Amino acid sequence: MCAARLNYIAPWWTYWLHNFPHTNLRLEPVDSAFRPQEEDYQQSLVFLGCVAAAALGLNLLFLATYLSCLCCCHKEDEVEEENKRSNSCCVSWTAVLAALVICSAVGVGFYGNSESNDGMYQMTYSLYNANHTLSGIDRLVTGMTGSMEGRLKEHLARLDEIFAARDDFVQTLRFMQQMANNIIIQLKSFPDLRKANVDLAAIADQTTTWEYYRWLTYLLLLIVDLVICLAACLALAKQSRWLLTTMMVFGVLALALSWASLGADTAAAVGTSDFCVAPDKFLVNQTKDIIATDVSHYYLYCSTNLLNPFQKSLTTFQRSLTTMQIQTQGLLQKAVLRFPTSERDLLGIQQILNSTESGLHQLTALLDCRSLHKDYLDALNGVCYDGVEGLLYLCLFSLLAAAAFCAMLCAIPHALKHIASRERAYDDIDEADPFNPRTRRTMVRSPSQSHVHSFCSYSSRSSQGSLHAAPPAISNAPVAEYMNQSMLFGGNPRYENVPLIRSGSGSPPPSYSPSMRANYLSVTDSQVRHFGSDYQI
């Protein structure tokens, strides 16, 4: 292999992807050569997307089975109470790990999306450069051919009339016309690159458009995945049932999108790798109807061992042009003295030849293989290195996101069940119990109900006589019963309705659980007499 070809070596991941089994929809093996026009090859890429769709179906089936088992299998209350704390911890850790995996996957996705976009940008930039080179070649060939066939022939025709009396001058004009015809023949021997120019421009424009929409689609997908992850974590932190249910629906949607993107990225990566393994063969077959095979090889390989296929035409062009310049210079020295009117046409011919010589030098530089070959290598490096690498990172993002969303969809039902069990336990508290915190909050907030004072207000025996009269009795049966019991146990009324701070409004009651109330009611007479000597009850 020549030194110039060492600039491009297909990366190892393209060979790895190229060796993926290629199977059509009839499950028949297909050649892995890049043939996008053939139906069997197209089906082999579609088959990869079908594999991802089948994986999505299996994943959804697993989730449906898991949720069905979770809903149908009921544990005993005792076992559920013992495992409640461990289940809650497991759900929390699962959610945290899923969130971390999704955030990592989004980071990988952003990097892969950027790499793929950079590769496509480098390819389109190289295509536009090659298109500029080809358009320059076509413009020079068209311009010089028009000058030789148009203005040069007009000048030679007028000089033929002027030099009609001099046969030697007429012979010189005939010879110059012959050289001009040779130049026209050599110019027309160059391949017509207008069709290739149009194809490159169309490919670059289409690639730019598709790449923009692909980049934008993945950007939105990454943002949506991140928002769903953060919203699910917020729902778990706030223990919001409706938000968890909503995030579960969006999680299923994100799971489906992850598998769909995995199938699309895998098919695109495999197809691109098939091209990157043997790009020369495909391009030669594609351009054989536009340019000759030796011309294609000259620009694709650009080897010093390969001769320039246009060298002979350029040499003939240069010799014919030099001969015409010499003949024109001789006529300017000899014929102008006898035919002054011929000077204008001879100077016009000389100007055309000088501009043609300048165009010949530009054409020689543009036809050199180094410029187009550099654009070709840059395009390959952009597609096969950055482009395919970015697609692989996007595949990794899709896999991680699918796994994380699957874990999150398994954890959310446990969280919903845990929240429901807590609400049921909270609802089991006696609503008529005055020591229920929720009942006390309701009584405090409701202006129509009387305020229940604390039963722990300290009052000495000496200060009992100075207390104000008690307010009207509270119409709450448990509280009245409790007052009666305090009279029986202590012998003295417990001034429950007497505030500690004698101000316009009573102090809020302390929070007592039902177990504390039960302990208090179970106090014996001896304990009451024991404490009664210290505190007035």
Side-chain angles (χ1 to χ4, degrees):
M1 184 175 291
C2 62
R5 291 296 296 168
L6 293 177
N7 293 329
Y8 171 74
I9 298 177
W12 63 266
W13 53 80
T14 58
Y15 288 100
W16 177 63
L17 293 171
H18 179 67
N19 292 327
F20 269 28
H22 291 62
T23 306
N24 58 16
L25 298 180
R26 296 183 298 272
L27 301 180
E28 299 174 351
V30 177
D31 187 13
S32 60
F34 186 67
R35 296 168 288 109
Q37 296 86 359
E38 297 187 9
E39 184 179 359
D40 287 341
Y41 183 79
Q42 296 174 0
Q43 290 183 3
S44 67
L45 298 181
V46 174
F47 180 78
L48 296 175
C50 294
V51 172
L56 172 62
L58 293 175
N59 197 348
L60 294 177
L61 180 61
F62 164 76
L63 289 176
T65 305
Y66 177 80
L67 294 178
S68 300
C69 295
L70 185 65
C71 294
C72 296
C73 297
H74 298 283
K75 295 182 179 180
E76 296 295 333
D77 294 339
E78 295 79 3
V79 178
E80 186 174 353
E81 285 294 331
E82 293 176 0
N83 296 333
K84 185 185 295 183
R85 185 177 299 273
S86 61
N87 290 338
S88 177
C89 183
C90 181
V91 170
S92 300
W93 277 109
T94 302
V96 169
L97 290 178
L100 291 177
V101 171
I102 291 176
C103 292
S104 301
V106 169
V108 172
F110 272 112
Y111 178 76
N113 196 31
S114 177
E115 282 292 301
S116 181
N117 183 258
D118 291 342
M120 292 299 102
Y121 174 78
Q122 185 175 353
M123 187 196 74
T124 54
Y125 183 78
S126 300
L127 288 178
Y128 282 125
N129 282 342
N131 177 70
H132 179 72
T133 301
L134 294 179
S135 61
I137 294 173
D138 183 70
R139 185 174 59 254
L140 288 173
V141 171
T142 303
M144 289 186 292
T145 302
S147 298
M148 289 294 173
E149 291 181 342
R151 292 188 300 162
L152 182 63
K153 286 188 176 182
E154 292 176 1
H155 289 301
L156 290 177
R158 285 196 293 266
L159 289 176
D160 187 64
E161 295 176 0
I162 295 173
F163 297 153
R166 292 289 302 267
D167 293 339
D168 53 343
F169 292 163
V170 172
Q171 292 295 328
T172 303
L173 294 177
R174 297 288 185 274
F175 183 72
M176 291 177 62
Q177 182 64 51
Q178 183 179 359
M179 294 296 102
N181 292 334
N182 289 336
I183 292 175
I184 294 172
I185 293 173
Q186 301 305 322
L187 288 173
K188 290 184 176 180
S189 66
F190 294 113
D192 187 6
L193 300 176
R194 284 176 292 184
K195 185 176 180 180
N197 184 20
V198 172
D199 290 342
L200 284 180
I203 292 173
D205 293 338
Q206 292 177 2
T207 303
T208 302
T209 302
W210 281 101
E211 175 57 24
Y212 171 74
Y213 286 111
R214 186 208 64 79
W215 174 82
L216 183 61
T217 301
Y218 269 100
L219 183 63
L220 295 177
L221 178 61
L222 292 168
I223 294 175
V224 167
D225 286 354
L226 188 60
V227 169
I228 292 175
C229 172
L230 296 179
C233 293
L234 178 63
L236 288 172
K238 295 179 66 67
Q239 295 186 356
S240 174
R241 297 182 66 180
W242 71 268
L243 188 55
L244 280 174
T245 304
T246 304
M247 289 304 104
M248 191 170 183
V249 175
F250 280 102
V252 173
L253 178 61
L255 181 65
L257 291 177
S258 298
W259 283 110
S261 64
L262 177 62
D265 292 336
T266 303
V270 171
T272 308
S273 298
D274 292 339
F275 166 77
C276 293
V277 168
D280 303 334
K281 181 179 179 181
F282 172 75
L283 293 176
V284 169
N285 292 332
Q286 289 295 114
T287 58
K288 62 182 179 182
D289 296 332
I290 303 175
I291 55 179
T293 304
D294 57 340
V295 177
S296 300
H297 282 86
Y298 173 69
Y299 288 109
L300 293 177
Y301 294 97
C302 195
S303 173
T304 54
N305 299 326
L306 295 175
L307 296 177
N308 189 344
F310 306 111
Q311 187 62 46
K312 183 178 179 180
S313 298
L314 292 173
T315 302
T316 303
F317 190 170
Q318 179 66 49
R319 291 175 180 175
S320 299
L321 186 62
T322 303
T323 302
M324 290 182 66
Q325 289 175 333
I326 294 173
Q327 297 296 327
T328 302
Q329 187 66 30
L331 289 176
L332 283 172
Q333 295 176 357
K334 298 178 182 179
V336 172
L337 297 177
R338 294 195 56 181
F339 304 98
T341 57
S342 64
E343 183 177 7
R344 180 180 178 182
D345 291 314
L346 289 173
L347 291 176
I349 292 174
Q350 189 178 42
Q351 183 179 3
I352 292 173
L353 295 177
N354 291 335
S355 63
T356 303
E357 184 180 15
S358 176
L360 175 61
H361 294 314
Q362 297 179 25
L363 182 63
T364 302
L366 291 176
L367 289 175
D368 188 77
C369 67
R370 286 173 292 182
S371 176
L372 287 175
H373 184 67
K374 181 181 181 300
D375 296 332
Y376 170 65
L377 293 180
D378 290 342
L380 287 180
N381 290 326
V383 173
C384 301
Y385 280 86
D386 294 339
V388 178
E389 183 182 4
L391 290 175
L392 289 177
Y393 279 111
L394 289 176
C395 290
L396 179 60
F397 151 72
S398 300
L399 280 175
L400 293 176
F405 279 116
C406 183
M408 183 173 292
L409 291 174
C410 292
I412 287 178
H414 283 282
L416 291 173
K417 187 176 180 181
H418 179 69
I419 295 173
S421 64
R422 288 190 60 184
E423 291 181 353
R424 285 196 301 269
Y426 194 70
D427 292 337
D428 289 340
I429 300 175
D430 187 7
E431 296 292 339
D433 186 359
F435 299 95
N436 183 2
R438 183 164 59 185
T439 302
R440 293 203 305 271
R441 286 195 298 268
T442 305
M443 295 172 63
V444 170
R445 292 174 184 172
S446 177
S448 62
Q449 296 180 352
S450 300
H451 188 79
V452 180
H453 296 280
S454 172
F455 68 90
C456 290
S457 301
Y458 176 79
S459 174
S460 64
R461 292 181 179 179
S462 61
S463 63
Q464 287 181 8
S466 63
L467 294 174
H468 295 281
I474 300 173
S475 59
N476 192 320
V479 176
E481 180 183 359
Y482 171 70
M483 293 293 295
N484 296 331
Q485 292 176 358
S486 66
M487 290 288 294
L488 292 175
F489 287 134
N492 294 323
R494 297 176 60 95
Y495 293 92
E496 303 294 331
N497 52 353
V498 178
L500 289 175
I501 302 175
R502 301 184 61 181
S503 60
S505 60
S507 61
S511 299
Y512 284 88
S513 64
S515 61
M516 295 176 66
R517 177 175 179 269
N519 291 332
Y520 173 76
L521 294 177
S522 64
V523 176
T524 62
D525 294 339
S526 60
Q527 290 172 326
V528 171
R529 288 191 297 270
H530 174 73
F531 288 103
S533 61
D534 296 329
Y535 299 97
Q536 179 65 32
I537 299 178

